[in-house]
Amino acid sequence: MPPRATAIINKILENNFYIIFMTVVTIYALFGDDFRLLLSPKSGDPVFWSLTVVALFFFSLELVMASLAQKDYFLGFYFWLDLVATVSLITDIGWIYNEITGGGDISASNASQASSLARAGRGARVGTRAGRIVRLVRLIRIVKLYKHAHKALEKESSNDDNITPDELEQIH
């Protein structure tokens, strides 16, 4: 990749507004589906699913940009962390998740449906545990964003002669 393009992508990834925006998107990814379940009627689901598709797009874009521009990112720890967090958003998009799981409501009107319901219950418990792990991965993503914000702040403060090292330490 040309050095100029790499520099431009790195400048975007280290921009304070970009970091704040991606932090907001990450917070939505963490809690958006919970708010959907808690506060929204069923008719509001497509709005939340659309927002999650937008978050999936921005996470994917960031993953590609960082892979192209940042040395040692591709196939490194943060790459896998971001990839898992990005792919995990698919389970929050009802249009996709319902197609994967078969969707629809199950009623226990006969023995085979009761058996399916029991298996679904066990699967739901496993899914709940997996969901906690996925949420943890998404939460760790905030640590990565903090690291980028910290580097941007240090770079900005090194260019500003008015801030002393003691003041910089107080900011942190």
Side-chain angles (χ1 to χ4, degrees):
M1 177 161 215
R4 179 161 167 75
T6 302
I8 290 170
I9 292 173
N10 277 325
K11 197 169 216 166
I12 291 169
L13 292 173
E14 294 172 4
N15 182 288
N16 288 336
F17 294 112
Y18 174 80
I19 292 169
I20 291 169
F21 174 75
M22 288 308 293
T23 301
V24 169
V25 172
T26 301
I27 291 169
Y28 171 80
L30 277 167
F31 302 111
D33 200 49
D34 294 330
F35 283 121
R36 176 187 67 84
L37 293 170
L38 182 65
L39 302 173
S40 173
K42 189 113 174 109
S43 62
D45 288 355
V47 173
F48 281 91
W49 296 340
S50 298
L51 289 172
T52 304
V53 168
V54 170
L56 179 68
F57 169 77
F58 282 115
F59 283 168
S60 300
L61 183 64
E62 181 184 40
L63 189 70
V64 170
M65 288 189 330
S67 293
L68 292 173
Q70 292 181 348
K71 185 179 177 185
D72 298 329
Y73 177 81
F74 185 66
L75 300 180
F77 173 75
Y78 285 114
F79 171 83
W80 293 111
L81 180 76
D82 288 345
L83 183 66
V84 169
T86 301
V87 170
S88 73
L89 285 176
I90 292 173
T91 62
D92 290 350
I93 304 170
W95 302 308
I96 298 171
Y97 189 70
N98 289 341
E99 288 298 318
I100 292 171
T101 61
D105 294 328
I106 301 172
S107 62
S109 60
N110 64 35
S112 68
Q113 286 181 335
S115 173
S116 295
L117 205 76
R119 281 194 301 275
R122 286 192 295 274
R125 284 192 298 277
V126 170
T128 301
R129 288 188 195 115
R132 288 185 199 127
I133 293 169
V134 165
R135 185 165 291 176
L136 178 65
V137 168
R138 290 180 188 171
L139 194 56
I140 293 171
R141 184 178 157 67
I142 289 180
V143 172
K144 183 189 102 167
L145 291 170
Y146 171 77
K147 179 180 138 191
H148 283 299
H150 182 68
K151 280 176 31 180
L153 183 63
E154 282 181 347
K155 186 182 281 187
E156 193 173 287
S157 67
S158 68
N159 295 335
D160 187 3
D161 296 329
N162 297 333
I163 298 178
T164 66
D166 292 334
E167 291 172 329
L168 181 63
E169 188 61 36
Q170 288 177 351
I171 292 171
H172 296 306

